[in-house]
Amino acid sequence: CKKYEIPPREAEIIREICNGLSNKEISDKLFISLQTVKDHTHRIYVKTNVKSRVQLITLVKEEKLVKPT
């Protein structure tokens, strides 16, 4: 995560995306608003230069960005 300057909260979002959760499910699980999840996801996409959840999950698997739960 240091390579992409991903803070801990965004790493949590990445982990939940990789676990297959929707934005709504992530917001419920982490007790944050749906818009906050969307904002974090957008920043993650920009930092990692991906355009979709599939690309993000592939990047995470290739570079082992976050530890699985």
Side-chain angles (χ1 to χ4, degrees):
C1 285
K2 289 180 183 178
K3 175 180 177 181
Y4 296 102
E5 299 180 0
I6 305 285
R9 188 55 147 183
E10 288 177 4
E12 282 183 289
I13 302 289
I14 293 170
R15 187 173 298 110
E16 299 307 338
I17 289 171
C18 290
N19 287 337
L21 272 62
S22 69
N23 287 347
K24 177 69 173 127
E25 291 169 326
I26 294 169
S27 73
D28 291 344
K29 182 172 182 177
L30 300 181
F31 304 104
I32 57 178
S33 75
L34 180 57
Q35 187 59 51
T36 300
V37 174
K38 290 178 181 180
D39 292 343
H40 281 306
T41 302
H42 174 73
R43 283 193 294 275
I44 292 164
Y45 284 12
V46 170
K47 290 176 183 179
T48 58
N49 197 32
V50 300
K51 294 180 178 20
S52 70
R53 286 170 117 76
V54 173
Q55 285 181 336
L56 180 63
I57 292 167
T58 300
L59 179 69
V60 168
K61 287 180 180 178
E62 288 174 355
E63 300 203 17
K64 299 181 176 94
L65 292 182
V66 294
K67 294 179 182 178
T69 54

